[in-house]
Amino acid sequence: MATSERASARPISAADYRRLAAFRHALRRFLAFSEAAARKAGITPQQHQALLAIKGAPSAAGVTVGYLARQLLLQPNSAAELADRMVNCGLLVRGEAADDRRRVLLCLTPSAEKALQALSTAHIRELRESAPVVDGLLELLKPGGAKSHRRQRTAST
Amino acid sequence: MATSERASARPISAADYRRLAAFRHALRRFLAFSEAAARKAGITPQQHQALLAIKGAPSAAGVTVGYLARQLLLQPNSAAELADRMVNCGLLVRGEAADDRRRVLLCLTPSAEKALQALSTAHIRELRESAPVVDGLLELLKPGGAKSHRRQRTAST
DNA sequence: GCGACTATATCGTGTCACGATATAATTCAA
DNA sequence: TTGAATTATATCGTGACACGATATAGTCGC
């Protein structure tokens, strides 16, 4: 069974590995840019993500800890800890939901708004530059990339 | 100066924040998929990244610790520690470069090859599915992105 | 051969997410 | 209503991992 496992049935070509590696490298570069930008703005990368998730939420009146956890793909307790650190940093304020007093509404402070705006401007600029690169890398993996059935027109490479 | 800083000269619209948040959420989802896949294969996400970086490198005879550090955007000492953990796990073997005995050549073991192949297959499949989504989100941020086809050039908000 | 430089390794530290658990608030059934 | 089950958030101890500072080994120019 180990010999004909489905996952190993179709060998990956050297070109596939190169493309995957290049894609992940591009991803890391973007994330590194983002982290550096956040730290330059005086906040941690996770805090930046949290600010964006809150600011980009449908409800403009603040979001709950649970919402933050779902957006950031964190466990609820981790989101509560993150929110706690951000409150201590003066980035967020906690409020209570009127209808359900278990819930805590997280709202950005003015300084957080300011930092997020600057970061968002920089990120939009960066994305406009690097999007074509990522696009190109995704393109290579998408169509007949690892190819198996269809033949693509060989562009040399 | 703080009031008219360049970074804050152009306010970001609510739609921009939503788009940026959606983009980052999609990115986190992909990374979460990747992490879960790696852990299911019995390795850590960083180890998976390292295996891919090594396997996708131009030289097929192993890569140096320094190369690994540059590809993963880590400090050299962190790459050495990562390599150390991977050798202890039986994922890598260290070899010496013939021309420069300071250098260490990292090579995948058979079990690492097997794990990486399975992971790569899963990742290519996942990327083919989620690429259109990421594409769409990038599209929105790219061109005139933040805005609208109609009536841009706004002087207002 | 000697000093400057490069490549890798070691050690102590700090951050952060997690599991387990606790506390508070809501819901629902009887 | 009461009170058990459920949901939302918070607390605490732990572990993984990247880092800075530093150490060691190897190479190169002179």
Side-chain angles (χ1 to χ4, degrees):
Chain A
M1 211 169 263
T3 59
S4 63
E5 186 63 87
R6 199 211 279 99
S8 56
R10 195 228 271 148
I12 308 290
S13 72
D16 285 331
Y17 284 123
R18 279 198 301 275
R19 285 192 275 255
L20 277 172
F23 172 69
R24 293 306 287 252
H25 185 65
L27 224 52
R28 285 189 294 269
R29 280 177 52 88
F30 170 72
L31 294 175
F33 157 82
S34 183
E35 292 192 16
R39 294 194 194 280
K40 201 160 57 177
I43 64 179
T44 70
Q46 292 83 358
Q47 289 171 348
H48 170 218
Q49 303 267 313
L51 292 181
L52 184 58
I54 296 170
K55 186 72 176 181
S59 78
V63 306
T64 65
V65 171
Y67 176 86
L68 186 63
R70 287 188 296 276
Q71 284 304 114
L72 298 193
L73 304 180
L74 292 176
Q75 296 302 312
N77 57 348
S78 301
E81 292 173 330
L82 174 59
D84 208 39
R85 292 191 294 270
M86 295 177 76
V87 169
N88 289 339
C89 286
L91 291 169
L92 294 182
V93 290
R94 275 189 235 255
E96 290 187 351
D99 57 330
D100 186 342
R101 295 211 323 286
R102 290 172 301 179
R103 296 187 170 179
V104 169
L105 290 183
L106 304 171
C107 295
L108 272 61
T109 62
S111 76
E113 292 271 6
K114 188 160 177 298
L116 180 59
Q117 180 171 319
L119 283 170
S120 295
T121 298
H123 277 69
I124 288 176
R125 191 186 311 123
E126 171 70 16
L127 280 173
R128 286 182 184 173
E129 287 177 13
S130 60
V133 177
V134 174
D135 258 30
L137 291 168
L138 284 176
E139 233 10 83
L140 290 174
L141 292 164
K142 211 190 307 179
K147 104 253 339 3
S148 35
H149 319 130
R150 300 209 166 223
R151 72 231 237 68
Q152 74 291 23
R153 42 179 77 216
T154 83
S156 50
T157 298
Chain B
M1 197 186 279
T3 60
S4 63
E5 186 62 271
R6 198 208 282 94
S8 56
R10 193 227 278 143
I12 309 289
S13 72
D16 285 332
Y17 285 122
R18 280 198 299 274
R19 285 191 274 256
L20 277 172
F23 172 69
R24 292 306 286 252
H25 186 65
L27 224 52
R28 284 189 295 269
R29 281 177 52 90
F30 171 73
L31 293 175
F33 157 82
S34 183
E35 292 191 17
R39 294 194 195 281
K40 201 160 55 176
I43 64 178
T44 70
Q46 291 83 0
Q47 289 172 348
H48 170 218
Q49 303 266 313
L51 291 180
L52 183 59
I54 295 170
K55 185 73 176 180
S59 78
V63 306
T64 65
V65 171
Y67 175 87
L68 186 62
R70 286 188 296 276
Q71 284 304 113
L72 299 192
L73 305 180
L74 292 176
Q75 295 303 311
N77 58 347
S78 301
E81 291 173 330
L82 175 58
D84 209 40
R85 291 191 295 269
M86 295 177 76
V87 169
N88 289 339
C89 286
L91 292 169
L92 295 181
V93 289
R94 275 188 235 254
E96 290 187 351
D99 57 331
D100 186 341
R101 294 213 322 285
R102 290 173 302 180
R103 296 188 172 176
V104 169
L105 290 183
L106 304 171
C107 296
L108 273 60
T109 62
S111 76
E113 292 270 5
K114 189 160 176 296
L116 180 60
Q117 180 172 319
L119 283 170
S120 295
T121 298
H123 277 69
I124 288 175
R125 191 185 311 123
E126 171 71 15
L127 280 173
R128 285 182 184 172
E129 287 177 13
S130 60
V133 177
V134 175
D135 259 29
L137 290 168
L138 283 176
E139 233 11 82
L140 290 174
L141 291 163
K142 212 191 305 181
K147 98 265 16 25
S148 38
H149 318 341
R150 23 176 114 175
R151 107 210 277 15
Q152 60 194 63
R153 142 164 339 225
T154 136
S156 67
T157 335

